[in-house]
Amino acid sequence: MSAILQTKVAAAIFGGAALCALPVSAAYAAERSEPEAVTAAAPMAPAETTAQAESAPDTAPDAAPSEPHRAFLTNGGRLLLTGGVSTIEGAGGGGIVPWALIGSYGTRNQIGVSAFATDVDTQDFTLRSFGAAFSFRNRVELSVARQNFNLRGVGAAIGLGNKFIISQTIIGAKVRLVGDAVLDQDKILPQLSVGLQYKINDDKTVVGGALGVKREGVDFYAAATKIILSQSVLLNATVRLTKANQFGILGFGGLGGKDQAYKPQFEGSAAYLLTRKLAVGAEYRTKSNRLEGALGGTTFREENAYDFFVAYAPTRNVSITAAYARLGQIALKRQNGAYVSLQLGF
């Protein structure tokens, strides 16, 4: 579970940081021809940045080159880091929280792509997550992620064998409804998106067997993201409807197939840009508690999760995130750990 946080944290970098570096309209134009020059450019004063963002025509960021070879797998026309990183579930956002931002650097005339890999260790478990996402015209995001949750010595202790692995696949989709987190500096309305994540758990021994819970479920969420260029800050709030236990790694709903009602959960992120390439932030995610007492007492209690992260983008297409995550109780005791995540984006 703790691994879940790795991937998302890197997202905070793109959210708030690099946006302060350049006037919006000028940055888009520069990035089309000189992607690396944008990263190296000197930061603008907050007032100047905001003023130019307000006056930038709506069409500026979307005027992509018309040549076919520029429409796919280029550096895109969006500002550095504004595609975010990948969460452990594959959606663009922070480490554990999806944002309203559409992943990758593609503008309204482009297709973007990103890939990620995350590895996190806690006291008792290891989570490895990897996947990819595609964006279409900065409007639609499609993603897929694969998670492998290794029980390590706990598996042997409960008779499942050493390093027993529970795996799941997550297929996601996100649609931007209104707003532009970068350009709408003169508006209170944030960027708003809705999405879903279809989760398929492979485990028939613990999830489908011992616990007797469902192995498939769908999460629905709505996200609002606001970037305040003058303050180098990104703020995000997400509301999720879910039946998942521990992000779906322990299946969906209650014991014996009971308690199948959707329950709303809150998720939030905040990031602050220290430099154009370095950001710090935190995320918080509430989780429903449906399996407590599965082995008696407080076993399998599910608690809320949060993380503190540092995200660094050495180049336009690469971001690295390190974080400390507190994931709450997983199975028998609380799990805390550090993680590292790598993302490539175009």
Side-chain angles (χ1 to χ4, degrees):
M1 280 319 182
S2 55
I4 298 182
L5 303 180
Q6 326 178 167
T7 307
K8 315 331 157 251
V9 172
I13 274 194
F14 64 75
L19 301 181
C20 314
L22 289 172
V24 175
S25 58
Y28 274 113
E31 285 185 341
R32 291 192 191 101
S33 57
E34 300 290 343
E36 294 304 323
V38 174
T39 306
M44 301 292 292
E48 183 178 355
T49 303
T50 303
Q52 294 196 34
E54 292 175 352
S55 61
D58 239 2
T59 56
D62 304 311
S66 58
E67 299 90 329
H69 71 280
R70 291 298 301 274
F72 185 60
L73 288 182
T74 70
N75 275 337
R78 288 161 59 184
L79 295 173
L80 177 68
L81 297 175
T82 57
V85 295
S86 301
T87 64
I88 54 171
E89 294 159 311
I96 56 172
V97 177
W99 296 349
L101 302 175
I102 300 299
S104 83
Y105 288 113
T107 68
R108 276 183 247 179
N109 294 319
Q110 296 174 325
I111 296 174
V113 63
S114 62
F116 78 97
T118 296
D119 189 284
V120 173
D121 287 341
T122 67
Q123 301 96 310
D124 300 305
F125 307 108
T126 299
L127 176 66
R128 289 186 170 88
S129 182
F130 58 92
F134 297 87
S135 68
F136 301 88
R137 300 178 179 274
N138 195 25
R139 177 67 63 179
V140 176
E141 173 188 292
L142 301 177
S143 62
V144 60
R146 179 71 172 174
Q147 296 178 341
N148 296 313
F149 186 65
N150 192 325
L151 274 62
R152 296 189 340 213
V154 173
I158 60 178
L160 294 173
N162 191 39
K163 298 182 179 179
F164 184 85
I165 294 177
I166 297 176
S167 300
Q168 73 170 342
T169 299
I170 303 171
I171 301 170
K174 183 196 301 182
V175 177
R176 177 170 64 90
L177 299 180
V178 295
D180 188 306
V182 178
L183 293 180
D184 290 346
Q185 295 301 298
D186 59 338
K187 299 177 182 178
I188 297 178
L189 182 71
Q191 181 168 320
L192 301 175
S193 297
V194 294
L196 61 81
Q197 295 171 340
Y198 175 44
K199 303 179 178 182
I200 309 162
N201 193 304
D202 297 345
D203 182 63
K204 298 179 181 179
T205 303
V206 176
V207 176
L211 293 178
V213 297
K214 293 185 179 297
R215 294 191 297 111
E216 295 184 11
V218 181
D219 287 3
F220 301 92
Y221 66 87
T225 302
K226 184 65 178 178
I227 295 174
I228 307 173
L229 297 181
S230 61
Q231 302 299 319
S232 302
V233 167
L234 175 144
L235 300 173
N236 178 83
T238 298
V239 176
R240 179 189 299 262
L241 295 176
T242 183
K243 302 178 183 179
N245 305 310
Q246 300 292 6
F247 308 100
I249 291 174
L250 292 182
F252 306 86
L255 297 172
K258 300 178 180 178
D259 195 4
Q260 289 296 312
Y262 276 101
K263 296 182 179 180
Q265 304 297 322
F266 172 79
E267 305 169 12
S269 306
Y272 180 74
L273 180 62
L274 297 175
T275 72
R276 290 187 299 274
K277 296 185 177 184
L278 182 65
V280 296
E283 294 187 298
Y284 186 83
R285 178 167 172 170
T286 68
K287 297 185 288 178
S288 62
N289 181 31
R290 303 174 195 242
L291 299 182
E292 183 172 358
L295 297 179
T298 61
T299 60
F300 284 87
R301 170 189 289 172
E302 188 167 4
E303 299 175 326
N304 301 336
Y306 60 90
D307 68 78
F308 301 96
F309 65 88
V310 177
Y312 176 61
T315 73
R316 175 176 173 79
N317 304 116
V318 178
S319 61
I320 302 169
T321 299
Y324 174 73
R326 296 181 64 90
L327 301 176
Q329 181 170 316
I330 300 176
L332 304 179
K333 68 179 186 180
R334 290 185 172 92
Q335 300 293 321
N336 309 318
Y339 68 81
V340 176
S341 181
L342 171 68
Q343 174 170 306
L344 305 178
F346 299 86

